[in-house]
Every structure is written in C-alpha cells, then in structure tokens.
Amino acid sequence: MLLLNPGPVTLSERVRRSLTRPDLCHRESEFFDLQDEARARLLAVHGLDPVRWAPVLLTGSGTAAVEAMIAALVPADGRLLVVENGVYGERIATIAKQYGIAHETVRRDWMEALDIAAVAARLDAGPAFTHVAVIHHETTTGRLNDIAALGALCAERGVRLLVDGVSSFGAEAIDFDDDGLVAVAAAANKCLHGVPGAAFVIVRRDALASASGRGFYLDLARLAGLQDRRDTPFTPAVHAYYALVEALREHADEGGRAARHARYAALAGQVRGGLAGLGIESAVPAAESSVVLRAYRLPTGLAYADLHDGLKSRGFVIYAGQGGLSGSLFRISTMGDIDTTDIDRLLKGFTELVTR
Ligand SMILES: *Cc1c(COP(=O)(O)O)cnc(C)c1O
C-alpha cells in the first residue's frame, strides 16, 4: 500500500530497517549520541548555527510541537495574533484559547490566500501584539502561505513570528535569516520521511530566554537545556528517533532540502498533468500550492468514498477534504518513498475509475 495522505508516509527500506536496531536505554550514552545526531542534522537541513538556534526534540505528533511552540514561546504578558486560512491555523487559535493566552485571529476563507495587508492593519491597530502565528503549508488545501512577507512585516514591527512548518520542513524553503522568524515546529513523519512519534521545534535561543514556563511535558526551555547537556527528562520514542536519524541521513544523501523539493515538484506536476487530462482540476493554482500536497476538485458524479475505495483496492491511500470541503475536494500528497512509476500506476487507476 502506498500512502498519499499527508503523513505518515510510505517508508524507504533504509528507514524501515532502522526500526530494528538494538534496544536502547534512554539513559545510556548511545541514546544521547542518537539525540545529538538528530539535533545536529535537523539544524543542518537549513544550515543553521547551533549558537543561535536550538533544535528541541519532543515525543509526540506534529501537534505536540505546535502546542509546545505556542504555549512556551508566548510569554505570560504576551499577545498573539493567529493568521488562519485552514484547519491547522484554527487549531493554533484553539491551543491559544486552551492555555488562556491573550490572542486574536485574522481569518480568511479556507480557499483564500492570506491577506497580508489585513494582518499589517491588525498589528498596527493594537493593542500591541508580541507574536504572530501562521501555518507555512496549510495542509487543508495544499496552499503555501507567504511566510516571507509575514516575516518581513513582523521584523518591521518587532513582533515575533511562530511558524507551523509541520508539512513543509525538509522540502519547502524557509528563510531562517529573516529577523521576524523565531521558531518553526515540525515532525519526523512528513517531508523528512521518518515515522510518527518524534517532533521538534527549532527555536531562536534568545526566544527561549523569555519563554513562559507554561506547560510541563512541553516546556521547550527546559527540554532545550537538558538536551544541550545530553540529557532528557522523560522516556523518548527511541525507535522513532532511530528512524528520524536514518531519514535525515537519507535526506542529506539525496541532496538535502532543495533536492527533496525538486523531487516532490516533479511528482506533483506529474499528478496534476495526469488529472488535468482526465478533466480533474486543481483546487488551488499550482503557483500558490506547495509541492508536498495538492487539493483537487472531485469530478462530478464520482463520490469520494468510491474514488478512495477504488484507489485503495489498487494499492493507494488518498485523502479526503477536511470539514466543509469533504464533499468537493480530495488531496494527494507526494511525500514518502514513491516515484514516477508509482504515479503512472496511480493515474492508470484514476483513468479506470473516472472514465468508467
Ligand atoms: C500534519 C500537520 C500537523 C500535525 O498533525 P498531527 O496529526 O499532530 O501529526 C500540524 N500542522 C500541519 C500544517 C500539518 O499538516
């Protein structure tokens, strides 16, 4: 079965084999070697300086990393502006509410691009915001949000930008030199091709100094301090760390972030071209979409369940639209160990189901 859902992804044999490495106690030096390698390789994906940036590992899914970032980095007297145009942006506002963090939202329809001018107007209207949170790749629709424009806006105003990069880190470009950007949350099992269970936040060290102390398990400043000293407070998902390290080695061996982007772009282009030939339209223009996942309009007369089941019986798992989009869209991710011959077979399956 090939997984074309937005994580977990189809594993390479190399990563799958890493899961059967020797049993490991997380208080032994071998575990800390593994933790150190994971942290160093996460920074290396974007060539980041460990003096300025702390990679903080967590055990949990991507949401754990996003929650840790929001809870820990907005200080007790901070104010957060959440920029939303999909499910994951709305999730950040829910997290802020849950923690009692003072926040407001700038909301766009799920099919729309961010309105940067509206964000600027909201920041300028006050009362003063200390942080802005945004989703880089909004997996709801496959839209790639313009975090560079938001980062510039934040830098001008001395506001700190927190980015959910769960479905973009490792493939899409992220400008860490941007002065507004202070943290990116992500996970092992999307563009990096590891398994679920390991997540991380890459955070500017000076932002950790003013961390809130909200949260216990997810206390980023404490985790960073312990991990810097080759320590860990809790039992990590050791096997997920094995897979993360092997996936990061494979990512580097294959040419790093830019090469992964190019590979996804080719596969996503192949899917888009093939589906267009069958009259299936992209929901978001290619130029505004990520290369990681794209949303397509369900052809009239074909119910999602029939499309899904027909493709599943041919060896592919695709993904439904979320919430109100479930009746009109479906999504196809090109993450994981898949290649052009897999996409050829997928398109053959679509042809059989659509022209039946
Ligand atoms: C997948 C994803 C998450 C995290 O989802 P989990 O189910 O916790 O792994 C968060 N944000 C975005 C944009 C995602 O695509």
Side-chain angles (χ1 to χ4, degrees), residues 6-7 60-64 66 88-89 91 135-140 164-168 185 187 189-190 196:
S61 75
T63 305
V66 175
Y88 295 98
R91 183 177 291 180
I135 311 300
H136 185 202
H137 167 213
E138 183 44 92
T139 321
T140 311
D164 170 342
V166 177
S167 62
S168 59
N189 63 297
K190 294 206 182 181

Side-chain angles (χ1 to χ4, degrees), residues 2 42 65 168 179 191 198 238-239 246 257 281 286 294 306 329 340-341 349:
L2 292 182
L42 286 172
S168 59
D179 285 336
C191 306
V238 175
H239 293 78
E246 201 56 47
R257 203 266 326 150
E281 292 169 32
R294 292 198 175 158
D306 294 334
L329 297 188
T340 57
T341 60

Side-chain angles (χ1 to χ4, degrees), residues 10-84:
T10 304
L11 299 181
S12 68
E13 277 314 302
R14 176 176 174 177
V15 170
R16 191 187 312 285
R17 272 199 309 274
S18 74
L19 294 168
T20 60
R21 287 210 190 116
D23 300 334
L24 197 54
C25 168
H26 64 290
R27 298 282 167 212
E28 296 296 322
S29 66
E30 292 85 350
F31 174 74
F32 296 115
D33 293 344
L34 186 70
Q35 180 170 268
D36 285 350
E37 182 172 349
R39 299 181 81 218
R41 286 187 178 277
L42 286 172
L43 290 189
V45 169
H46 283 277
L48 301 179
D49 178 359
V51 174
R52 291 185 62 209
W53 294 93
V56 189
L57 284 163
L58 292 162
T59 286
S61 75
T63 305
V66 175
E67 181 168 339
M69 173 174 78
I70 300 298
L73 297 183
V74 182
D77 57 355
R79 276 187 91 238
L80 175 69
L81 184 62
V82 185
V83 182
E84 307 174 357

Side-chain angles (χ1 to χ4, degrees), residues 256-316:
R257 203 266 326 150
R260 183 129 316 167
H261 184 277
R263 162 184 168 163
Y264 288 173
L267 294 171
Q270 190 186 350
V271 174
R272 186 168 187 272
L275 293 184
L278 294 170
I280 299 176
E281 292 169 32
S282 303
V284 176
E288 297 171 26
S289 294
S290 76
V291 295
V292 176
L293 169 142
R294 292 198 175 158
Y296 296 92
R297 297 201 186 282
L298 265 176
T300 40
L302 185 58
Y304 175 75
D306 294 334
L307 178 64
H308 171 271
D309 295 355
L311 291 171
K312 192 169 179 186
S313 71
R314 291 165 171 80
F316 300 96

Side-chain angles (χ1 to χ4, degrees), residues 3-225:
L3 302 183
L4 305 179
N5 50 289
V9 301
T10 304
L11 299 181
S12 68
E13 277 314 302
R14 176 176 174 177
V15 170
R16 191 187 312 285
R17 272 199 309 274
S18 74
L19 294 168
T20 60
R21 287 210 190 116
D23 300 334
L24 197 54
C25 168
H26 64 290
R27 298 282 167 212
E28 296 296 322
S29 66
E30 292 85 350
F31 174 74
F32 296 115
D33 293 344
L34 186 70
Q35 180 170 268
D36 285 350
E37 182 172 349
R39 299 181 81 218
R41 286 187 178 277
L42 286 172
L43 290 189
V45 169
H46 283 277
L48 301 179
D49 178 359
V51 174
R52 291 185 62 209
W53 294 93
V56 189
L57 284 163
L58 292 162
T59 286
S61 75
T63 305
V66 175
E67 181 168 339
M69 173 174 78
I70 300 298
L73 297 183
V74 182
D77 57 355
R79 276 187 91 238
L80 175 69
L81 184 62
V82 185
V83 182
E84 307 174 357
N85 58 344
V87 168
Y88 295 98
E90 292 176 10
R91 183 177 291 180
I92 290 185
T94 306
I95 291 169
K97 183 159 181 258
Q98 182 93 22
Y99 280 93
I101 295 170
H103 70 284
E104 283 179 39
T105 60
V106 177
R107 179 173 297 197
R108 291 283 277 174
D109 183 84
W110 286 3
M111 296 311 297
E112 302 293 324
L114 297 184
D115 181 348
I116 303 291
V119 178
R122 195 58 162 270
L123 287 175
D124 294 341
F129 290 95
T130 56
H131 292 73
V132 169
V134 70
I135 311 300
H136 185 202
H137 167 213
E138 183 44 92
T139 321
T140 311
T141 54
R143 182 179 290 280
L144 197 64
N145 284 326
D146 189 353
I147 56 168
L150 267 187
L153 202 71
C154 289
E156 272 166 30
R157 288 160 177 79
V159 174
R160 300 179 144 200
L161 181 64
L162 309 175
V163 173
D164 170 342
V166 177
S167 62
S168 59
F169 187 93
E172 297 288 353
I174 299 174
D175 183 6
F176 281 86
D177 288 332
D178 181 330
D179 285 336
L181 181 68
V182 298
V184 176
N189 63 297
K190 294 206 182 181
C191 306
L192 295 177
H193 299 182
V195 303
F200 55 91
V201 184
I202 295 186
V203 52
R204 235 178 248 266
R205 288 191 178 274
D206 59 14
L208 283 174
S210 56
S212 70
R214 251 186 233 109
F216 176 70
Y217 190 79
L218 300 178
D219 182 344
L220 277 189
R222 173 169 178 237
L223 289 168

